[in-house]
């Protein structure tokens, strides 16, 4: 199906989902880049690739990839 066959509400929903996806990924990459390795569960490189996986990657990182470390502010 091409975008020309989509109705206006479908295009709007798709655009909204894309904005949420890119927003989540952008925030997760921003957080990962500023977080010390000691405050990340696992490899930062692996998490950087995982964040690129649709909604699941950023949500997984934000839920399971971050570790609370004294002195590191929670975002």
């Amino acid at each position: 199906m091409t975008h020309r066959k989509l109705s206006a509400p479908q295009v709007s929903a798709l655009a909204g989902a894309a904005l949420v996806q890119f927003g989540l990924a952008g925030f997760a990459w921003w957080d990962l880049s500023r977080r010390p390795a000691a405050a990340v569960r696992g490899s930062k490189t692996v998490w950087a690739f995982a964040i690129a996986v649709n909604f699941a990657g950023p949500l997984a990182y934000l839920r399971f990839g971050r570790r609370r470390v004294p002195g590191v502010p929670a975002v």
Side-chain angles (χ1 to χ4, degrees), residues 46-68:
V46 171
W47 278 115
F49 283 111
I51 290 169
V53 179
N54 287 334
F55 291 97
L59 292 175
Y61 167 72
L62 293 171
R63 174 62 181 96
F64 302 111
R66 303 184 304 170
R67 176 180 299 167
R68 291 187 187 208

Side-chain angles (χ1 to χ4, degrees), residues 10-52:
Q10 289 172 324
V11 171
S12 296
L14 186 60
L19 284 173
V20 170
Q21 165 60 33
F22 290 125
L24 277 172
F27 176 73
W29 276 317
W30 174 83
D31 182 77
L32 181 65
S33 71
R34 285 162 176 71
R35 189 170 291 272
V40 176
R41 289 188 176 102
S43 166
K44 288 180 78 167
T45 303
V46 171
W47 278 115
F49 283 111
I51 290 169

